[in-house]
Amino acid sequence: MAEVKKQKNCSCNRDFTEEEMEDLIKTMTGGTKIWQGSDIADKSIKSLVLELNTMFKSYSINRCMQKISFLANVYGETGFFHLSKEQVSKWKSSQSIYKGRGILQITGVKAEGSEYYNEPGPYRDYGKHVGKEKEIVENPDIISSSLHYSVDVGGWEAKQKKANTWDSAWTGQD
């Protein structure tokens, strides 16, 4: 049996290191390759860590519980940095113009009288947020092909939904 080393590495109010992220990816996926099922060209852990740390600061995701919760959602949405968009399947959302994209997959809204998510909705809102509304609405694949947008939209989505932000202050002991 492998020896388990007990350690306490609080991630509150600090950046993840490349080594920590590589270890997380190895633990979650069994290897260190990322974005294998995506259009993202930069498949380096170094760039991923830089974008994640920037996004965490931008959206005030700075406590351990927030980061853990966020990354757990990323695992469900992307297979832990494997996919950057919803793959075509039997689900109507996957066949839509504004299908799920990004590390917390942003999805458009159903067009009136349709089963498809062909209205930009959140894509337009995120585009306004980053000052690129026209570009994102006209080319939604920018969310799944740009490492920056794929990661940043996850932070934006978490804040919009007010999900997993754990805004209350920790009052217990570590």
Side-chain angles (χ1 to χ4, degrees), residues 35 37-44 47 51 82-87 99-103 105-106 123 126 135-136 138-153:
W35 306 123
S38 79
D39 298 330
I40 293 176
D42 187 345
K43 295 177 178 10
S44 73
S47 295
E51 290 295 341
H82 181 71
L83 302 171
S84 60
K85 68 180 172 186
E86 187 175 2
Q87 300 299 297
K99 64 181 166 183
R101 293 179 177 89
I103 63 171
Q105 296 190 349
I106 186 174
Y123 279 83
Y126 176 70
E135 183 178 357
I136 288 172
E138 290 179 0
N139 181 20
D141 275 334
I142 195 169
I143 300 285
S144 58
S145 62
S146 161
L147 178 60
H148 171 72
Y149 288 130
S150 191
V151 171
D152 188 71
V153 78

Side-chain angles (χ1 to χ4, degrees), residues 16-34:
F16 276 109
T17 66
E18 286 178 53
E19 293 78 21
E20 289 170 326
M21 187 54 59
E22 185 173 302
D23 189 45
L24 276 170
I25 292 166
K26 249 188 232 181
T27 299
M28 300 301 284
T29 68
T32 58
K33 293 189 184 261
I34 56 174

